[in-house]
Amino acid sequence: MTSRRARWSARSTWALLVGALAAAALVLAVPAWRGPAVLVVAPVAVALVVLGVALHRPRGAAWWLVALMLALWGAVPWLAQTTGRVDGPPTALVWAGQAVAAGIVLHVARGREGGREPSPGGRLDLVVIAAVVALVGAQLVAVALAGHGDATGVAVAGVDVVLLGVLLRFAVSRRALPVSSWLLLSAGLLTVVYDLSCSLHGRRTALPGEAVQGLGVLALLLYGLAALHPSMTVAFAAETFTRRRRPSAALLGLLPLVAVPAALWWVARSAGAPGLPGWTVPVTGALVAALCLLRAAAALRASEHLAEHDPLTDLANRRGLARAHAEPPGPGGRSLLLLDLDDFKQVNDTHGHDVGDALLLQVRDRLVGAVREVCAGTGVVARLGGDEFVVLAPAACAGEVAGRVLRALEAPVVVRGLVLRAGASVGVAREDAAAPVPLVELLTRADVAMYAAKSAGGGRAVDFHPAMREEVARRYTLSGQVRRLLAGRAPDVGHLEVHHQPLVELASGRVVGAEALVRWRHPQHGLLAPDAFLALVSTNDLDAELDAVVLQEVVDQLSRWRDQGRRELPVAVNLTRASLDDPDLADRVLTLLADAGVPTSQLHLEITEHQQLAVESPAAASLADLRAAGVEVHLDDYGTGYTSLDYLRRFPVQVLKLDRSVVGAVADGDAQLVAGVQAMAAALDLQVVAEGVETPQQRARLIELGVRYGQGYLFSRPLSARDYADRVLGPARSHGPHPQRTAAPGVVAAP
């Protein structure tokens, strides 16, 4: 209903606009119709405003003030016709209507957000307007002191000239104005021209039959039509006034103000009340023009600043960095530090880009503070984009800067109540003063070193050395190969193998299950551990594809062992965020198990608290469905993140897997965390598994603390599927025919 009403009022507005133009043309063409038209149009305009307010219900009192203004002006011709004079009460009504118009301006200015511009360009705009207003005041004083002519008429006409310039400036400098605003602006311009014409003739209103009444008729109708259009609800909104054109176009809005001095001189001469001497016209015109040139220079400086600075952080961008690098290096040379935040993509994916931007601003503050303290103002900080920052600093302080930056980013960052980690990897490339290096090459070297830092686990700084280029070339080659590997069988790039690390009961050593760990059997590099290629998988957004391959192979392997009559033990498979964000995860897993004839109790799924999941993620519902079907959910790497308790609340977790960093401290007497987790798990009816158990002392202490299960090199390294079956599951009891299952793409099936 509301949309139909809006469409009807929009169509009616355009139809009535055509009628208003026709009416104005008739008033101009037929002098006898001018007086009656003014009498009729005024109440019509007020009625249209009231109708528009009733239809669209805008906020604020601005439109009611417009209706009051039109009512006061509309009463002028009625009063003039009744009294037979245009001065006295009719003039008072004109002034009252103009006072209401001033009230509308003040009302809009008070409700407008961000109306004051702190930039130098914005201040110069105000100076230009103040200069022409001051010129009007000087003209009025000069006319009054001269003692001849109509000082009031000159004053009003002078104000009209300034208003005309300001309205034209507004029309030129604003963009995307709604239809209602354009109608209001047109009505305002016509009103000013009408008032200026009357003032030049020494009156506040037109006489009956004057041609200028046609302008009054059209202006009144445009006010009413502006209220009838649906866009009237935003005509006085703050965002309407703040949508500026580009600076180059906005500068054109100053041109009408440049013409104000000459216009004021003409107004005074036309009114027969010369005030300021003739030489003031070129002088004041030159002054206003000079101010406009200064405004243009300020706009140019702002554009230059934007061209060399990042819009979010206001740090130097790539162009600004190039300018800084073009300066000669100091005697000791300089270094370039390339910093990349670790796991920043997860922050954006989990909490949104607004939180990510807020995190970047805090990182900027810490980075700038560290560079300022160490380099005493000689370092340049830049942002290349995303989460990549650059520091160009003297070589003597590069190492200290890197260390200070890493320490500054170790502390958690609190953004909108969220506790985030902003660890970083830093690559350092050095440049001798005697042998300058092009910026592109310097960035390439720092980038190579930064990826070496990431490969080493992140949270560290690494200096570039030439041998690293070979590693980069190797990673580039592997990156292309891993895509082909996961796309299907590609013998020339090797195959994936799923190994199994046993999970044991600590007290007895009895194996109760295993964790599936993927390996890459590469034709040139041999058996690659996950650390050698999982980062490449993530970089290429192939996490879900790899999860699917491993899950398929584990389920097929469980099916083969089941058909062979081997001992049945559950196997845990790690899932990444990409898989957990899939709303069809539960259906896909349960279908896979049903097709393979594997009981749901044989498959366990592991999630990690490092894979931060958004609240609106479908993971909670998927894991709840899987748990209800009999699939266990484990929380891996427990004790190393900031979201553990939240995950226990949101997800149907049954097992907590203590991270190896927590387990490693147990034998040294630091067992409070393990004891606390064990007590909490007991209260929540959860099991605890200790990862990375490597010594008998760790095992004994964990048993004392009540931890029942564990895995680690003390018991077994990860085993191939064949070795795990033979050593743990025992011999096959059935060698009869069983369904032949095809291994997942890129995977070699084990017996």
Side-chain angles (χ1 to χ4, degrees), residues 607-609 613 620 623-624 633-639 641-658 676-688:
I607 63 175
T608 172
E609 58 183 1
L613 295 166
L623 293 176
V633 178
H634 299 182
L635 181 56
D636 199 8
D637 298 332
Y638 192 81
Y642 292 97
T643 56
S644 303
L645 295 178
D646 180 59
Y647 270 39
L648 293 180
R649 177 183 61 83
R650 290 168 55 194
F651 303 120
V653 174
Q654 295 162 275
V655 175
L656 303 180
K657 297 190 72 174
L658 286 174
V677 171
Q678 176 60 34
M680 179 188 69
L684 298 176
D685 196 23
L686 303 175
Q687 290 292 343
V688 176

Side-chain angles (χ1 to χ4, degrees), residues 76-94:
V76 171
W78 288 93
L79 189 58
Q81 188 177 40
T82 302
T83 62
R85 50 186 296 191
V86 294
D87 56 351
T91 299
L93 288 178
V94 173

Side-chain angles (χ1 to χ4, degrees), residues 72-330:
L72 290 171
W73 286 344
V76 171
W78 288 93
L79 189 58
Q81 188 177 40
T82 302
T83 62
R85 50 186 296 191
V86 294
D87 56 351
T91 299
L93 288 178
V94 173
W95 284 110
Q98 290 178 333
V100 174
I104 295 172
V105 174
L106 292 175
H107 176 78
V108 172
R110 186 170 57 250
R112 176 180 162 193
E113 299 177 1
R116 297 184 61 186
E117 302 179 55
S119 66
R123 288 192 290 269
L124 279 173
D125 282 351
L126 296 178
V127 170
V128 172
I129 296 174
V132 296
V133 170
L135 185 60
V136 172
Q139 177 76 297
L140 177 59
V141 171
V143 170
L145 292 177
H148 57 79
D150 182 10
T152 302
V154 172
V156 173
V159 172
D160 286 337
V161 168
V162 175
L163 285 176
L164 194 62
V166 171
L167 288 175
L168 289 174
R169 175 182 176 272
F170 180 84
V172 173
S173 62
R174 294 307 189 272
R175 62 176 179 85
L177 288 177
V179 173
S180 180
S181 295
W182 278 115
L183 292 172
L184 280 175
L185 188 59
S186 301
L189 288 170
L190 290 174
T191 301
V192 171
V193 173
Y194 171 88
D195 193 60
L196 179 60
S197 177
C198 294
S199 299
L200 290 176
H201 289 85
R203 298 188 301 272
R204 298 302 297 122
T205 185
L207 295 175
E210 287 188 326
V212 74
Q213 285 186 316
L215 296 180
V217 168
L218 185 57
L220 290 172
L221 287 176
L222 289 180
Y223 282 119
L225 295 180
L228 189 60
H229 195 272
S231 62
M232 60 89 73
T233 56
V234 295
F236 294 106
E239 58 270 17
T240 301
F241 294 90
T242 55
R243 288 197 292 262
R244 297 178 178 272
R245 295 182 186 271
R246 291 182 177 180
S248 58
L251 284 173
L252 296 176
L254 295 176
L255 291 179
L257 299 179
V258 176
V260 166
L264 288 175
W265 178 85
W266 174 79
V267 164
R269 295 303 183 275
S270 300
L276 295 174
W279 61 264
T280 59
V281 174
V283 171
T284 54
L287 176 62
V288 173
L291 290 172
C292 292
L293 286 176
L294 289 175
R295 176 64 180 91
L300 181 60
R301 284 195 299 270
S303 298
E304 290 173 344
H305 182 84
L306 289 174
E308 295 187 353
H309 288 77
D310 172 59
L312 173 64
T313 62
D314 201 38
L315 297 174
N317 58 14
R318 189 178 292 269
R319 180 178 293 181
L321 179 65
R323 176 184 288 272
H325 180 264
E327 298 293 330

Side-chain angles (χ1 to χ4, degrees), residues 442-519:
L442 207 57
L443 285 169
T444 300
R445 294 179 183 180
D447 191 56
V448 169
M450 185 266 293
Y451 274 105
K454 281 190 175 294
S455 299
R460 66 195 69 198
V462 173
D463 288 324
F464 170 82
H465 59 80
M468 289 181 176
R469 290 191 184 275
E470 298 178 5
E471 176 62 21
V472 171
R474 175 177 174 272
R475 288 175 59 86
Y476 181 79
T477 302
L478 288 177
S479 181
Q481 291 177 341
V482 77
R483 283 186 172 276
R484 296 170 57 204
L485 180 69
L486 294 177
R489 289 186 174 85
D492 60 317
V493 297
H495 59 268
L496 296 176
E497 295 180 5
V498 177
H499 288 208
H500 299 71
Q501 185 170 28
L503 172 68
V504 305
E505 189 177 47
L506 291 175
S508 64
R510 178 174 60 91
V511 177
V512 295
E515 179 182 0
L517 302 171
V518 67
R519 302 288 189 267

